[in-house]
Amino acid sequence: MAHLDWILVLVGGWLGLGLLGILALRHTDFVARVLFPAGAAIALGLAAIALSALFDDPETAVLPLGLPNLPFHLRLDGLSAYFLLVIGAAGAGISVFAAGYFRQGEGTPPGLLCLEYHVFLASMALVVLADDAYAFMVMWETMALSSFFLVTANHRVPAIRQAGFLYLLVAHIGAIAILLCFGVLQANTGDYSFANMRAQSLSPLWASAAFLLATFGFGAKAGILPLHVWLPEAHPAAPSPVSALMSGVMLKTAIYGILRIGFDLLNAQLWWWGALLLALGLATALFGVVFSAVQTDMKRLLAYSSIENIGLLFVGIGLGVLFNAYGMHALSALALTAALYHVISHAFFKSLLFLGTGSVLHATGERSLGKLGGLMRRMPWVGWLVLIGVLASSGLPPLSGFVAEWLLLQSFLFTTELPNSFLNMLVPVVAAAIALVAALAGYAMVKFFGVIFLGQPREAKLAEAQDASLLERAGLIWLASGCVVLGLFPVPLIGAIDRVTQLLIGTGIASTVRNNGWLLLAPTTLERASYSPLIFLAVTCLAVLLAVLLVHRLYHGRVRFAPPWDCGYPAQTARMQDTAEGFGQPIRQIFEPFIRMRRELPSPFDEKPIYHVRIEDHLWHWLYLPIARTTERFARLVGRLQQGRIAIYLLYSFLTLLVLLLVVVAK
Amino acid sequence: MIPLSGFVSQLLEIILALAFAPLLTGWVNQCRAWLQNRSAPGLLQPYRALHKLFNKESVVAESASPIFRIAPYIVFGCMALVCAIAPTLSTDLPLAPAADTIALVGLFALARVFISLAAMDIGTSFGTLGARREMLIGFLAEPALLMVLFSASLITQSTSLANIVETLAHQPFAIYPSLAVAGVAFTFVALAENARVPVDNPATHLELTMIHEALILEYSGRHLALIEWAAALKLFAYSCIGLALFFPWGIAGAGTPLAMIVAIPVLLAKLAIGGVLLALIETINAKMRLFRVPEFLATAFLLAVIALLVHVLLGA
């Protein structure tokens, strides 16, 4: 059997698990102990097959589903295989964790949740396999709907229902744009297969229209400014494994869409597309990271951090388009490799962090950072594993986040070779902003980890928190080891990414990298730049070990445990620590113009002082509320037609007929 | 295989950094005391302090997690690696390909994140306050440092620190306007990153103004000794990187073992002058309010970006 058949069997297996879930609607144990681990095994198998398919020739298949004479076309090429690998590899860890996570009595019955979850996974896998617009849109909508139901799993909470509807709305506005984009791409031939779209050569005007529609549509799914508002609402509202799946994996299908349309279906790029993606990505990244640093809800903080990472991905893709448009294919491959590396790295660390918040949520029942603290001692497993995710997310060497950041900055250093003096001038500014984003991400992540896991417990109940269960730990360990392995061994993965860039722009950086040796990552020449995470880690570890040994050999290693000193102040309480607000205060002050803040400060004479601060998004007030108000006014205007009496409606029908008759007569 | 000369210069560099870093701190302290009309502590005072601290028992807070105890070692390890890849004596460094300038900035960030997490670990008010301020300075200084290094990278077409310095040192004498601007930015960043006046005062224990000292308030004994040593290594590394980027003359190239013998006194002379200048800066400036620090570092950031633009626009 070919790879594609195996993949279809596995995806069918997911759907089968979902149906079994329906049969065992309220048998939590069966669903959690059998179905979810089976789903994880399937995900792992999918990742393995995708990895082997990546190094093979493209395969196609036709599924006799859908409408008569309009079957689903599927195609497995390098790009789909790479994204399948991401879905499978991250999905495996998330499913194992979910097996330990879902419990009785949380809104939707576990069996139904199992169905929605596996349909969601299957639809994501099929989105990246689709080879015609029809199959793509059906899968895309299935993905949106199944994730909507997952987001609203806890539908008794009004805020969650609201978040779900906002998500559904933006998802559909985006889907319309994608549909229109396919309409432009088929160039009046009436054939909606991707093969036909590849064969068309559109005029620059129509190609730009298609590209803009795709950017809008996929940007809505990815959470690009100003279409990001649903993301910080919907991602935190979902149960944690679903948040992980949405932030870590689903956002990547939008990246897939941009790459598929921008590089594969459209056969030439214009430079200003790249500049547009670059600008959008930069604005999104800066916005996301600033807002992530001022959040007080741990899952919202991560959701904004996802917005930031999507922004960085767009920057990488934009740079790739820029280089490609000027015919600098090798550099374009470098930028795209950076983006694709970040795709898988972000899938691992963001899933890890979201799952970590799930464990914390189950152990404490708290999402607010202001009521957590000191969990490192109660939950060491979750604490240490999340620390790995935090370091990867901050882009620190030698973990996976740094490799992507390193490659991205390297490709920025080549922008001076672009034959456009405007871009030459702007691009250093962009590089500076990227560096700022990376540094701010570190700030947000130190806040995230420090406030949840370090310090004193801010509430008494935290002292009873239990560490994650074995299955949860297994999922976290899988994802954390992904962050470490991807960070330490970048060269093999770049070999895999090479297949994707070969497909998209006809060249890759893997041969250069391999020529420079497996130990060193050097994308161009050894003189120009190189980085070796293994040597990096080895030397740091060696220095640490030597320091430990020498200190303990030459001097005594005595330790005495005592109460904290704190400048001799005896009456320390847990409430004197920095809260999440306190830690975010410098950011609020520096980036004040970007943040809409409402604050109530107590006066010194208040009996019961209340401090209250609300961080809001300017765009919500400047863009979304006016649009919503206009829509509502328009709807009320239309509503006047509705009188509720049958005679009036009959009159409308009569008048319509009359007008139509007049039109016919006039002809 | 690594040639013997490279191995020797690498080893020599690490030993030199570990041994002489506290001396540089002592020298700066001495100069500062003289300039401020105080009687100076001995040049070897930092060594005595380290010896004393190593001999003391370490008092660890009861509520500390393992992060608190491993952080000093990680910070020390990071700074040791920084000193290994920064070209101080020679540009012939076998370890240099392992980490370029971007990784160097990442290495500083790694150390900063760990020391901040350790400060938050005990859960005292000063610890978290210090962590917040340290991260604030870090997120502003880090991109500025990266931009400074990028302007040098664009001139020399390499991000490897050793190669940058090699190119700058062995070309006909030329003054790059972009490097001059970058040098000012680098000085700003170095002052902030090493907790020096006007950003922080290394000699203060006044609660409301301290940054670095607030971070390490709970440390004692050998842990504190390692952190102090790491701080000295950081100052040494920053000084050497600055000297190598902006005054690279006298540094030994590859395959010239004799030049190493010249390089050591040259480096010591440069460091001595640099120490005097640092003491001078610290003496003639007052410590600024914390809220002014972002402006100070934003200036550094802007200068660094201007340096990049100058290079891109003027090609110099």
Side-chain angles (χ1 to χ4, degrees):
Chain A
M1 273 162 75
H3 293 117
L4 189 52
D5 299 322
W6 277 110
I7 287 174
L8 287 177
V9 168
L10 289 178
V11 170
W14 267 338
L15 296 176
L17 290 178
L19 291 179
L20 279 178
I22 284 288
L23 295 178
L25 199 54
R26 287 181 197 281
H27 295 81
T28 314
D29 270 349
F30 176 68
V31 170
R33 299 284 174 266
V34 180
L35 296 185
F36 273 103
I42 290 179
L44 210 55
L46 193 74
I49 294 174
L51 192 61
S52 101
L54 196 56
F55 295 96
D56 231 322
D57 292 330
E59 296 166 23
T60 53
V62 178
L63 273 192
L65 291 172
L67 299 173
N69 294 328
L70 202 56
F72 287 166
H73 293 82
L74 301 181
R75 184 160 184 270
L76 177 67
D77 57 11
L79 185 61
S80 340
Y82 185 74
F83 279 85
L84 273 180
L85 173 70
V86 175
I87 294 171
I94 298 171
S95 288
V96 172
F97 181 93
Y101 184 84
F102 285 126
R103 288 166 204 186
Q104 196 82 44
E106 289 188 359
T108 312
L112 194 56
L113 216 53
C114 171
L115 174 73
E116 292 161 3
Y117 181 89
H118 286 110
V119 168
F120 183 36
L121 276 175
S123 58
M124 283 194 287
L126 290 173
V127 158
V128 299
L129 284 174
D131 197 31
D132 63 66
Y134 171 51
F136 188 93
M137 289 315 296
V138 169
M139 295 313 159
W140 188 259
E141 285 297 284
T142 314
M143 186 173 88
L145 280 179
S146 53
S147 54
F148 164 75
F149 286 117
L150 284 167
V151 166
T152 51
N154 220 338
H155 51 84
R156 289 184 212 294
V157 182
I160 289 184
R161 282 202 304 274
Q162 235 168 359
F165 281 123
L166 183 64
Y167 168 47
L168 203 61
L169 178 73
V170 178
H172 278 95
I173 292 173
I176 292 172
I178 297 173
L179 195 61
L180 288 174
C181 165
F182 285 135
V184 174
L185 282 173
Q186 52 96 20
N188 255 338
T189 54
D191 181 356
Y192 280 86
S193 71
F194 284 178
N196 174 49
M197 294 178 192
R198 254 177 232 122
Q200 305 297 330
S201 52
L202 299 172
S203 70
L205 181 70
W206 283 111
S208 301
F211 183 80
L212 288 179
L213 283 167
T215 308
F216 183 88
F218 291 116
K221 190 55 132 194
I224 280 291
L225 222 62
L227 298 163
H228 63 281
V229 281
W230 64 274
L231 205 152
E233 305 296 327
H235 284 204
S240 291
V242 178
S243 314
L245 215 49
M246 288 177 77
S247 253
V249 186
M250 187 190 73
L251 296 181
K252 309 298 152 46
T253 59
I255 299 299
Y256 165 81
I258 290 271
L259 288 175
R260 175 65 78 195
I261 290 183
F263 284 91
D264 187 22
L265 300 187
L266 289 167
N267 33 30
Q269 282 111 21
L270 303 178
W271 71 266
W272 65 265
W273 300 355
L276 176 75
L277 288 185
L278 206 63
L280 279 177
L282 193 65
T284 307
L286 269 174
F287 168 88
V289 78
V290 168
F291 270 74
S292 133
V294 296
Q295 292 308 308
T296 53
D297 176 312
M298 59 178 176
K299 289 181 84 175
R300 279 179 82 93
L301 187 151
L302 291 182
Y304 276 111
S305 148
S306 286
I307 296 184
E308 170 227 324
N309 282 291
I310 286 292
L312 290 181
L313 282 172
F314 266 63
V315 168
I317 297 174
L319 210 52
V321 172
L322 261 184
F323 282 129
N324 206 34
Y326 284 113
M328 303 157 93
H329 299 297
L331 296 180
S332 173
L334 178 59
L336 281 184
T337 305
L340 288 166
Y341 208 104
H342 199 60
V343 163
I344 195 162
S345 149
H346 180 246
F348 272 97
F349 70 68
K350 192 47 63 66
S351 306
L352 173 61
L353 293 179
F354 262 118
L355 296 181
T357 62
S359 290
V360 170
L361 193 59
H362 263 183
T364 63
E366 274 303 335
R367 255 172 62 177
S368 163
L369 288 172
K371 295 182 175 168
L372 292 165
L375 289 176
M376 194 73 183
R377 287 169 279 280
R378 297 294 313 171
M379 309 175 72
W381 276 94
V382 178
W384 285 106
L385 292 169
V386 166
L387 180 62
I388 292 179
V390 160
L391 295 179
S393 175
S394 316
L396 293 177
L399 293 167
S400 64
F402 180 75
V403 180
E405 196 186 308
W406 190 82
L407 287 170
L408 187 63
L409 287 172
Q410 286 294 346
S411 49
F412 262 108
L413 283 174
F414 286 100
T415 48
T416 45
E417 294 172 18
L418 284 171
N420 181 329
S421 49
F422 254 131
L423 290 174
N424 281 344
M425 216 158 54
L426 283 178
V427 164
V429 182
V430 180
I434 293 293
L436 182 66
V437 168
L440 264 170
Y443 190 99
M445 282 298 137
V446 164
K447 167 179 162 171
F448 171 80
F449 188 80
V451 173
I452 297 178
F453 289 100
L454 301 177
Q456 302 289 335
R458 290 182 177 78
E459 300 269 306
K461 66 177 176 183
L462 298 183
E464 275 98 58
Q466 295 284 321
D467 209 343
S469 67
L470 279 177
L471 278 170
E472 289 183 358
R473 274 181 222 172
L476 293 177
I477 289 173
W478 167 256
L479 293 169
S481 39
C483 296
V484 175
V485 169
L486 290 180
L488 289 183
F489 303 97
V491 177
L493 183 69
I494 285 176
I497 292 175
D498 189 64
R499 301 283 305 174
V500 185
T501 50
Q502 291 283 0
L503 176 87
L504 295 182
I505 48 179
T507 180
I509 63 168
S511 55
T512 323
V513 169
R514 271 200 215 99
N515 278 341
N516 289 330
W518 64 275
L519 196 57
L520 287 176
L521 171 59
T524 47
T525 57
L526 275 176
E527 287 73 40
R528 172 135 195 150
S530 60
Y531 162 60
S532 169
L534 271 181
I535 300 181
F536 184 100
L537 185 69
V539 173
T540 317
C541 283
L542 192 74
V544 169
L545 272 180
L546 272 179
V548 172
L549 275 178
L550 284 179
V551 166
H552 284 253
R553 177 60 57 87
L554 296 180
Y555 296 94
H556 61 85
R558 278 203 297 274
V559 169
R560 184 157 57 87
F561 291 95
W565 180 56
D566 199 34
C567 275
Y569 186 66
Q572 270 289 316
T573 70
R575 300 200 51 187
M576 293 178 183
Q577 307 170 81
D578 256 20
T579 54
E581 278 107 7
F583 211 85
Q585 188 267 345
I587 307 286
R588 276 209 315 260
Q589 191 165 16
I590 295 174
F591 294 97
E592 210 176 356
F594 301 101
I595 300 171
R596 187 187 174 98
M597 183 168 58
R598 274 190 292 173
R599 191 163 51 168
E600 285 171 39
L601 288 176
S603 89
F605 305 105
D606 279 352
E607 288 271 314
K608 284 184 182 164
I610 292 176
Y611 168 78
H612 177 79
V613 61
R614 233 179 110 85
I615 301 287
E616 282 172 345
D617 191 342
H618 277 309
L619 279 168
W620 183 253
H621 292 266
W622 291 345
L623 184 68
Y624 281 82
L625 288 184
I627 290 179
R629 271 197 293 268
T630 318
T631 316
E632 215 166 288
R633 211 171 299 146
F634 185 68
R636 219 172 289 136
L637 219 64
V638 174
R640 293 227 180 118
L641 287 174
Q642 290 178 327
Q643 298 291 333
R645 266 186 291 168
I646 197 134
I648 305 273
Y649 292 120
L650 283 176
L651 183 68
Y652 290 157
S653 309
F654 178 68
L655 285 176
T656 314
L657 267 178
L658 212 64
V659 171
L660 285 178
L661 279 176
L662 277 177
V663 170
V664 172
V665 167
K667 262 192 178 171
Chain B
M1 248 356 268
I2 301 166
L4 189 66
S5 70
F7 185 73
V8 169
S9 60
Q10 182 73 73
L11 206 65
L12 202 65
E13 266 210 32
I14 297 178
I15 293 171
L16 184 89
L18 289 177
F20 281 88
L23 190 68
L24 178 63
T25 313
W27 170 241
V28 174
N29 285 345
Q30 207 169 38
C31 293
R32 202 165 52 166
W34 286 333
L35 282 168
Q36 294 168 356
N37 222 358
R38 292 185 280 126
S39 60
L43 202 55
L44 301 178
Q45 186 58 30
Y47 294 98
R48 287 187 211 110
L50 283 180
H51 183 67
K52 177 190 74 182
L53 285 173
F54 272 124
N55 263 324
K56 287 198 166 194
E57 67 176 359
S58 204
V59 184
V60 173
E62 285 146 349
S63 53
S65 79
I67 286 185
F68 182 78
R69 292 177 67 176
I70 62 167
Y73 294 99
I74 292 184
V75 172
F76 184 77
C78 287
M79 289 311 144
L81 182 55
V82 167
C83 288
I85 58 174
T88 49
L89 294 176
S90 158
T91 54
D92 182 21
L93 301 172
L95 276 179
D100 65 349
T101 50
I102 305 175
L104 183 85
V105 175
L107 206 52
F108 282 126
L110 186 66
R112 176 168 45 243
V113 163
F114 263 97
I115 198 72
S116 302
L117 289 178
M120 293 179 84
D121 189 33
I122 311 285
T124 56
S125 42
F126 287 121
T128 44
L129 175 142
R132 165 164 37 111
R133 292 177 176 176
E134 173 78 5
M135 289 311 290
L136 169 70
I137 288 178
F139 95 75
L140 290 162
E142 195 181 307
L145 176 62
L146 202 58
M147 288 305 113
V148 169
L149 295 171
F150 272 9
S151 7
S153 292
L154 284 179
I155 290 176
T156 57
Q157 296 294 313
S158 171
T159 60
S160 159
L161 205 52
N163 289 346
I164 293 176
V165 175
E166 171 88 31
T167 316
L168 288 178
H170 297 114
Q171 66 184 11
F173 181 78
I175 290 179
Y176 290 98
S178 62
L179 272 190
V181 180
V184 179
F186 183 84
T187 313
F188 281 26
V189 172
L191 288 174
E193 282 271 49
N194 286 293
R196 295 275 149 185
V197 175
V199 175
D200 190 6
N201 187 350
T204 186
H205 271 101
L206 182 64
E207 287 90 340
L208 292 178
T209 60
M210 59 188 176
I211 301 173
H212 183 70
E213 292 300 319
L215 273 177
I216 59 173
L217 206 53
E218 295 297 324
Y219 277 113
S220 57
R222 58 173 184 278
H223 296 137
L224 184 59
L226 279 172
I227 289 178
E228 296 288 359
W229 200 352
L233 280 175
K234 192 175 180 182
L235 180 65
F236 184 82
Y238 258 96
S239 315
C240 288
I241 292 172
L243 292 174
L245 281 182
F246 306 111
F247 307 97
W249 305 285
I251 235 169
T256 48
L258 276 179
M260 290 282 281
I261 302 169
V262 185
I264 296 179
V266 170
L267 177 75
L268 291 182
K270 283 198 272 189
L271 280 177
I273 298 172
V276 175
L277 286 178
L278 176 59
L280 200 64
I281 292 175
E282 286 206 272
T283 306
I284 59 177
N285 278 298
K287 189 188 162 316
M288 63 176 77
R289 280 178 69 213
L290 188 75
F291 292 132
R292 297 283 307 280
V293 171
E295 291 169 26
F296 177 77
L297 285 170
T299 313
F301 187 41
L302 280 181
L303 280 175
V305 173
I306 287 171
L308 261 187
L309 282 176
V310 165
H311 174 74
V312 172
L313 291 180
L314 306 180

